[in-house]
Amino acid sequence: MTKHTKLTDTQALERHRARAVPEELFLQESAADEVQDRLSLVNRAFTAPAVVTPFPDLWQKHMPKALIVPDSETLDLEVGAHDLVIHAMSLHWANDPVGQLIQCRRSLKPDGLMIAATLGGQTLQELRSCLSEAEIALTGGLSPRVVPMGEIRDLGALLQRAGFALPVADSVTLRAQYRDAFHLMHDLRNMGETNALDQRRRLAPPRRLFEQTAALYAENYATEADQVNATFELVFLTGWAASDTQQKPLRPGSAKQRLADALSVPELPLHD
């Protein structure tokens, strides 16, 4: 595979996930529910599904007939073995996200379906803003503290780069409320989503940084109930393995009827 800049310290990420609390994986549960909703709209029965996830028990509960494989850099998926692959909420930590999607595509049978659920760029926008402002004020600079998460347009482009047919990207925004920023950070720890960036500072940050972050958070994002808001964006990438049975887009200029005639409306020329 092509060598990529290392984003994630995988050993640190594994340690964080190992101390996650199963009862508090609400992002994983929300993603699983959304995936099931999307599958219910597909007029097909999948007989050989697989799920790529760091939390096998949770996803096995939602998809008991699926093969569960860890989200390692080389996925344990057999080429052409599956008609459905779910990449479940770990793509934002991948050092090679395109490589992950390519491996998923290769494991699909012709006309097989892949759905990747991941965190999008609006996730934790409040926390990132307050952390940055507090760190600049205290130290005069910034250090990597929150994993960079792609915008939906950029994430959708990964499907095309990975060779999927009929690519679609959509998102769901969740807003949760917490007592304060410390409560939010505690919840992130329980979900295994704390800082595992390879370029993070190894020294423990000063407590003043988090106290200032919490103060800014309460000042800017407080609710009427004296709590604070936190945003999570779940992005879903859907693509199909190529097949001769799939619909193909028409060649440009091949239309035999004008759109205005089909809609029974006058055709208005565009002005320069």
Side-chain angles (χ1 to χ4, degrees):
M1 282 190 177
T2 303
K3 184 176 179 60
H4 294 261
T5 302
K6 188 176 181 182
L7 170 72
T8 301
D9 178 346
T10 53
Q11 291 183 340
L13 182 61
E14 289 175 2
R15 291 195 300 270
H16 295 174
R17 287 170 169 175
R19 67 191 183 206
V21 180
E23 295 76 19
E24 299 193 22
L25 299 175
F26 89 92
L27 290 178
Q28 298 281 336
E29 292 282 0
S30 298
D33 290 339
E34 290 288 338
V35 167
Q36 293 288 3
D37 287 345
R38 283 159 173 76
L39 291 176
S40 69
L41 300 176
V42 180
N43 187 23
R44 181 178 303 184
F46 296 100
T47 59
V51 179
V52 178
T53 175
F55 298 107
D57 293 342
L58 184 150
W59 283 89
Q60 192 81 76
K61 176 185 67 176
H62 286 274
M63 303 188 69
K65 297 182 180 179
L67 171 69
I68 306 294
V69 301
D71 64 324
S72 55
E73 293 192 6
T74 301
L75 300 178
D76 189 17
L77 293 171
E78 183 181 346
V79 174
H82 302 284
D83 55 5
L84 172 67
V85 173
I86 308 299
H87 200 293
M89 292 295 288
S90 57
L91 200 63
H92 55 286
W93 285 114
N95 283 315
D96 181 10
V98 175
Q100 291 281 301
L101 295 178
I102 289 174
Q103 291 179 75
C104 290
R105 177 180 58 78
R106 289 175 176 170
S107 74
L108 289 173
K109 300 176 181 180
D111 204 30
L113 174 63
M114 191 279 309
I115 300 177
T118 188
L119 293 176
Q122 301 305 308
T123 299
L124 298 177
Q125 57 186 351
E126 304 89 353
L127 179 62
R128 286 182 287 161
S129 174
C130 294
L131 265 173
S132 297
E133 184 176 346
E135 189 166 21
I136 289 173
L138 291 174
T139 68
L142 288 174
S143 60
R145 296 194 180 278
V146 180
V147 63
M149 290 160 280
E151 299 298 328
I152 188 170
R153 181 189 299 269
D154 299 324
L155 292 170
L158 298 183
L159 289 170
Q160 294 179 311
R161 290 179 59 189
F164 281 98
L166 308 175
V168 175
D170 69 290
S171 66
V172 173
T173 300
L174 305 177
R175 290 185 173 85
Q177 294 187 349
Y178 293 90
R179 292 189 302 274
D180 50 33
F182 289 107
H183 183 200
L184 167 59
M185 288 184 278
H186 181 267
D187 206 27
L188 293 174
R189 177 186 174 92
N190 286 343
M191 291 189 288
E193 293 287 348
T194 46
N195 189 357
L197 293 170
D198 189 64
Q199 300 301 316
R200 73 191 185 282
R201 289 184 179 177
R202 264 49 176 186
L203 298 176
R207 181 167 178 82
R208 288 177 55 207
L209 171 63
F210 297 116
E211 291 173 346
Q212 181 66 14
T213 297
L216 289 168
Y217 212 127
E219 179 181 346
N220 292 289
Y221 301 106
T223 69
E224 294 182 356
D226 203 24
Q227 295 182 314
V228 294
N229 285 315
T231 299
F232 299 94
E233 182 186 23
L234 306 185
V235 174
F236 298 88
L237 307 177
T238 304
W240 297 82
S243 170
D244 293 337
T245 63
Q246 291 170 349
Q247 292 182 341
K248 304 293 190 298
L250 295 175
R251 179 174 52 84
S254 63
K256 297 180 179 180
Q257 184 180 15
R258 297 186 308 163
L259 179 61
D261 293 338
L263 298 177
S264 299
V265 297
E267 185 173 21
L268 302 177
L270 294 176
H271 299 289
D272 294 334

